[in-house]
Amino acid sequence: MLKISDIQSKDIVNLADGKLLGHITDIDINLETGKVEAIIIGGGRMMGFLNREQEVTVPWKNIVKIGSDVILVRNHGPGQTGGSSSDQVND
């Protein structure tokens, strides 16, 4: 089982370009099912208009691997995620 406190300090890295996206600032939970739908990444090096931090939403299905220090995700656009099965990483 994962605790939010365990994953908040992990760096989030985009597999599409290898960039650091930031850290988890929030999670989106489906209240009917109790399942995590997405993680919200706040800022890091993703700066928007007037140097405000830009939030990036990553659907839970786009998380490729949660490691001891880093979380690998598939992110193909600013603020959005996407990808195909060909982007998968094998352990």
Side-chain angles (χ1 to χ4, degrees):
M1 176 171 38
L2 287 175
K3 296 179 184 176
I4 188 66
S5 60
D6 293 337
I7 62 174
Q8 275 184 315
S9 63
K10 296 178 190 287
D11 291 332
I12 311 294
V13 176
N14 182 6
L15 284 175
D17 58 11
K19 290 185 179 179
L20 176 66
L21 298 177
H23 294 93
I24 295 175
T25 56
D26 206 353
I27 53 174
D28 183 17
I29 299 174
N30 182 322
L31 295 178
E32 292 180 15
T33 64
K35 293 184 179 182
V36 175
E37 296 285 327
I39 59 172
I40 312 299
I41 303 166
R45 296 188 183 156
M46 300 281 296
M47 300 301 269
F49 184 67
L50 297 177
N51 289 332
R52 288 186 180 171
E53 290 187 356
Q54 179 181 0
E55 283 189 344
V56 177
T57 301
V58 179
W60 189 256
K61 66 180 182 174
N62 287 18
I63 296 174
V64 176
K65 181 79 172 175
I66 299 177
S68 59
D69 296 324
V70 70
I71 299 174
L72 302 175
V73 299
R74 269 186 246 112
N75 184 37
H76 292 282
Q80 299 181 21
T81 58
S84 66
S85 59
S86 63
D87 292 337
Q88 291 181 346
V89 173
N90 296 322
D91 294 339

